[in-house]
Amino acid sequence: MGLRSSYHFDDETPLYVISIAAQLSGLHPQTLRQYDRMGLVSPGRTVGHNRLYSQRDINRLRTIASLSAEGITLAGIEKILFLEAALEAALLEIQSLR
């Protein structure tokens, strides 16, 4: 008889500690801390305040790394991410109005 898990994991479930998130994103852990301080990524926190990254966070870190590799400054990346989020929110609102 198998055990059934009551846990549901999706792209927003915080799962990865900073060392694993750094490996998955190809970035240094200190870079992840800097991006957290800047608000570019907002990982979940454990009871002990350790960062836990979701798959969505990892994808965002990869996007940031890609934009940075193209020569875009962190200020520019911040604006791009803001505009992408605003566009996504607007599209969701349009969809809900239909």
Side-chain angles (χ1 to χ4, degrees):
M1 195 182 268
L3 294 175
R4 292 194 103 181
S5 174
S6 62
Y7 297 107
H8 172 73
F9 299 106
D10 59 24
D11 284 351
E12 296 191 29
T13 304
L15 297 172
Y16 306 106
V17 295
I18 194 166
S19 60
I20 302 300
Q23 289 178 348
L24 291 172
S25 65
L27 298 168
H28 192 277
Q30 192 59 36
T31 303
L32 272 61
R33 290 182 189 96
Q34 177 187 6
Y35 291 170
D36 183 14
R37 283 190 301 272
M38 293 177 66
L40 292 174
V41 177
S42 298
R45 299 287 179 156
T46 65
V47 175
H49 302 289
N50 294 319
R51 293 170 177 87
L52 282 180
Y53 293 83
S54 67
Q55 187 59 50
R56 184 175 181 158
D57 294 328
I58 301 300
N59 294 341
R60 187 173 179 100
L61 288 166
R62 289 175 178 162
T63 298
I64 294 167
S66 175
L67 291 170
S68 181
E70 292 178 27
I72 300 172
T73 66
L74 288 179
I77 292 170
E78 188 173 23
K79 288 178 185 175
I80 289 169
L81 294 175
F82 173 80
L83 291 171
E84 284 180 345
L87 175 60
E88 184 178 333
L91 291 173
L92 287 173
E93 184 176 348
I94 289 169
Q95 185 180 16
S96 71
L97 293 172
R98 287 186 178 173

